[in-house]
Amino acid sequence: MNRKSKEKRTVRLATIHFEASPEQLHMIDRAAKLLGKERSEFMREAACDRAQSVILDQVLFNLDAVRLRTFNGMLDAPPAANTGLERLKTVRAPWRKNSEA
């Protein structure tokens, strides 16, 4: 047994159990099959994607007074010059006719 195999075995995985209706289980299995994945792998990825989405969607965060002033200053500051954006605004869209702006 090589060293990597031994290191892998020291990671402890948790088991998660939950109940699902037959319809839900069928839908999960069908989606997993479409992606060529086992049910557990599909469920783990789906749960992690959803968890990350929930965490990233949080709009409430706490700042002390100094950080709040800094944050508000950044929001209130005029946008930095963006030459790429300015150039892009002058390019005619390829779906527009030559006579259109």
Side-chain angles (χ1 to χ4, degrees), residues 42-53:
F42 177 82
M43 303 267 316
R44 185 174 43 253
E45 288 178 5
C48 287
D49 286 348
R50 179 68 175 133
Q52 184 178 41
S53 175

Side-chain angles (χ1 to χ4, degrees), residues 4 9 13 35 37 44 47 52-53 55 63 97:
K4 253 189 176 171
R9 296 174 91 198
L13 299 177
L35 295 177
K37 297 182 182 207
R44 185 174 43 253
Q52 184 178 41
S53 175
I55 292 167
L63 299 174
K97 294 178 184 171

Side-chain angles (χ1 to χ4, degrees), residues 76-96:
D76 293 339
N82 186 330
T83 55
L85 180 59
E86 293 305 318
R87 181 181 47 77
L88 182 61
K89 290 196 285 188
T90 65
V91 175
R92 186 180 55 82
W95 58 87
R96 299 266 188 199

